[in-house]
Amino acid sequence: MKIYNFSSAPSILPAEVYERAAKEAMNYKGKGVPVTELSRSCAEYEEIIDSACASLRRLLSLPKGYTVLFVAGGAIDQLPAIAQNLMSEHKVADYVITGQRSKAAEQEAKKYGDIAIAAVSAGASPPYSTIPELKRSSFRPDADYVHINYNSTIYGTKFPQIPETGNIPLVADMSAVLLTEPFDMSKFAFVYCDCEQNISPSGMTLIIMREEFLTNSKDKAPTTFSYKKLAERAANIQTAPIFNIYMANLTFEWLESIGGIDEIKRRNERKASLIYDYIDSQSYFTAPVDKKCRSMMNVVFTSNDSSMDKKFIKAAAKEGLINLGGHPFVGGMCASIYNAMPYEGVERLVSFMRKFAQENPKIDA
Amino acid sequence: MKIYNFSSAPSILPAEVYERAAKEAMNYKGKGVPVTELSRSCAEYEEIIDSACASLRRLLSLPKGYTVLFVAGGAIDQLPAIAQNLMSEHKVADYVITGQRSKAAEQEAKKYGDIAIAAVSAGASPPYSTIPELKRSSFRPDADYVHINYNSTIYGTKFPQIPETGNIPLVADMSAVLLTEPFDMSKFAFVYCDCEQNISPSGMTLIIMREEFLTNSKDKAPTTFSYKKLAERAANIQTAPIFNIYMANLTFEWLESIGGIDEIKRRNERKASLIYDYIDSQSYFTAPVDKKCRSMMNVVFTSNDSSMDKKFIKAAAKEGLINLGGHPFVGGMCASIYNAMPYEGVERLVSFMRKFAQENPKIDA
């Protein structure tokens, strides 16, 4: 039985990436050494990092003046580093709260400066089911930066557009959404994301930042939080997670081979439409998220009956449609349909949803 | 040609580990899902972490009262976390300097408390070629802990025994040396190491700590520095680097299968004796490290002629003996002969050294 994995994290990578890794990772470029054993002083080690950075720049049409960093650890590890690096002497930053994750970012930043909440998602049950409208006046004019979480894997929301912050640098956690559709990267001062969705195995964070923020970290911040030091090549202060970067490079090359970000957007829209259109066409399942803020990656839905939801998740798994359970904060279901999810996987899911709805009438229906 | 990789980092893992990973990692336990894609909410994800912890506990005969953590990132990322977690209110700690790495640890800790250097390795050229003698009186009686770096991969030294610190908790960076011979773990309060030698691919750190230090991090320390939070299972605040933990688990199982730490010590001693005995038996190559402090893992040696050293490194690579260059701080050669290095690799190296010495007489010899 073909398995389709709808896990939000860690999550699927393209089959082509695994096939290539299986072929070459154990004997990298015929050197007789696995990728994992490339010495940090050898040319191939540097080449992998250079190649991944170059491919990413092409995919994102990254303007000049941005630095790309691959750092071991999760995006959450960057929260204190961002606050300590990007706040100026007067230490003022504004955070937009659209879920658990942006709340955690705000809580962490509060340790280091004067942090204000610029706006919070409306919605109580389920919470955070929309994205607040933001105006230039939502932010303090003297803020060192505005922080947002562009896509919520838990709540299934996504910013409908890049918020306008004027002269204030925009910092965005783009986990799960970077590389899934085109973004005007010049609008962002600092972007970071977990690589475990859409890029590589768990345990690495991608950072894209304007070079002007490459300062040494201030005060008593840890050395490994200094983006300047990290940019002088991670190898100088620590070994890079080279296997993860290798896998990221394969994923980037796969994206380039299929036609880049425009093509992946076309595919992603087609998959998301298939499931959202089905949900909107019937009443058994509903998607609680404000339509204009729906995530294209994380489709949150429910039968509005928690025991039926549990039955659905279990029955789906038996059919090879696994990890459809929603996050405990939300309940219900979450189908994560990342770049690597084939259209057939979503077709299989929608067929199963139809069948399940027919075979399991609700008591009060 | 069979390649033997003497890289100090990232470094070799047992062939058996790769063979098993190649067989099962793409379809973990027949679930149809690669290890890298196991959702953090699925049972297999937790099982891998539990299994790795249990196997490690058996291998090290770890006494009760210790917690095991696998954290994404390098050992260097732990330096500020150790200082911020382990120092009490009065913030006093003593550091022993035996190389670049312990110096970096001391520099980082100085940001957070009253740090004293208890002792420094003697040796100027090359530096750090011995381990200082330590007495109970080397340390301040009110120190919250003593920090050492047990083995230096750069300088090729190793503590001849665990230093006696009395009631003062001993904190040790055991990178490259943990799991290579038995240690009385009850003597340590906190042990951490890069996993890129002897455990798993680069990008993960192993921490073994007395439970009494599982406090929330103090003051304005980052949340991800809180060992208490991390011990409540990394999954709660961040996704674990599950592929690395999976590989660590395979390495631990391999160690158990060959007979555990006593057997690996026997093998390691046999390999180290082969090369050190050869070096001591002739005058072409010398090993600069104080004999009683020689690392069993990182064999530093030189022909005492830097251009000849370069020729040696290049010629050895042509014979499949790769990454023998010493660290730029030391020059010369460094043969890292970790757990996974077969005896044959060291035999090949020693044969090559003999041949090279015969074929390349020194001008002034």
Side-chain angles (χ1 to χ4, degrees), chain A residues 5 7 9-10 12-13 18 36-38 40 76-77 108 111-112 196 202 220-224 237-240, chain B residues 5 9-10 12-13 18 36-40 76-77 108 111-112 196 202 220-224 237-240:
Chain A
N5 184 4
S7 167
I12 55 172
L13 290 177
Y18 289 116
T36 45
E37 296 182 5
L38 291 173
R40 66 194 226 180
I76 191 175
D77 291 310
E108 197 71 17
K111 296 176 186 171
Y112 309 104
E196 62 182 309
S202 63
K220 301 196 161 188
T223 304
T224 54
I237 59 169
Q238 63 181 171
T239 305
Chain B
N5 185 3
I12 55 172
L13 291 176
Y18 289 116
T36 45
E37 297 182 5
L38 291 173
S39 168
R40 64 193 226 181
I76 191 176
D77 291 309
E108 197 72 16
K111 296 176 185 171
Y112 309 104
E196 61 183 309
S202 62
K220 301 197 162 188
T223 304
T224 53
I237 59 168
Q238 64 181 170
T239 305

Side-chain angles (χ1 to χ4, degrees), chain A residues 102-334:
Chain A
S102 38
K103 186 73 195 158
E106 182 254 343
Q107 290 293 314
E108 197 71 17
K110 272 167 74 175
K111 296 176 186 171
Y112 309 104
D114 167 13
I115 306 302
I117 295 178
V120 183
S121 290
S125 179
Y128 302 118
S129 56
T130 186
I131 297 288
E133 292 221 11
L134 296 168
K135 295 183 296 269
R136 185 66 191 74
S137 61
S138 307
F139 312 111
R140 291 180 288 179
D142 65 338
D144 288 322
Y145 64 86
V146 168
H147 181 280
I148 62 168
N149 178 20
Y150 209 92
N151 177 92
S152 170
T153 57
I154 296 179
Y155 301 102
T157 58
K158 188 185 80 167
F159 273 73
Q161 66 274 319
I162 302 173
E164 193 50 68
T165 58
N167 291 329
I168 311 173
L170 178 60
V171 176
D173 178 348
M174 302 280 278
S175 296
V177 74
L178 191 75
L179 292 165
T180 67
E181 60 179 294
F183 291 102
D184 179 354
M185 296 303 291
S186 72
K187 302 255 185 186
F188 299 96
F190 187 104
V191 156
Y192 65 113
C193 69
D194 277 321
C195 290
E196 62 182 309
Q197 298 111 347
N198 293 314
I199 298 179
S200 69
S202 63
M204 186 166 74
T205 300
L206 167 63
I207 296 169
I208 302 169
M209 64 189 292
R210 275 200 210 132
E211 284 165 8
E212 67 205 69
F213 294 112
L214 284 175
T215 50
N216 276 313
S217 50
K218 285 130 192 155
D219 302 337
K220 301 196 161 188
T223 304
T224 54
F225 282 6
S226 161
Y227 293 122
K228 191 174 177 208
K229 285 232 166 61
L230 288 169
E232 287 159 6
R233 260 298 143 84
N236 291 339
I237 59 169
Q238 63 181 171
T239 305
I242 195 68
F243 179 72
N244 296 53
I245 300 177
Y246 165 76
M247 293 292 280
N249 188 39
L250 294 188
T251 303
F252 299 158
E253 289 183 4
W254 171 77
L255 275 170
E256 290 198 276
S257 77
I258 65 163
I261 302 299
D262 288 333
E263 171 60 16
I264 202 73
K265 182 197 182 195
R266 193 191 65 76
R267 295 187 187 188
N268 286 333
E269 281 180 340
R270 197 168 158 248
K271 289 183 287 178
S273 296
L274 183 63
I275 183 162
Y276 281 125
D277 287 353
Y278 165 68
I279 291 170
D280 293 342
S281 72
Q282 48 78 64
S283 60
Y284 192 92
F285 297 105
T286 57
V289 169
D290 181 4
K291 276 193 188 182
K292 66 178 185 302
C293 307
R294 282 174 171 174
S295 169
M296 188 158 62
M297 291 294 116
N298 310 99
V299 181
V300 170
F301 63 101
T302 172
S303 69
N304 296 299
D305 173 338
S306 68
S307 63
M308 201 61 96
D309 284 350
K310 283 196 186 78
K311 190 177 175 186
F312 176 88
I313 293 160
K314 219 169 155 181
K318 279 194 184 147
E319 299 289 316
L321 307 167
I322 67 170
N323 294 316
L324 279 164
H327 191 281
F329 291 155
V330 186
M333 281 74 79
C334 177

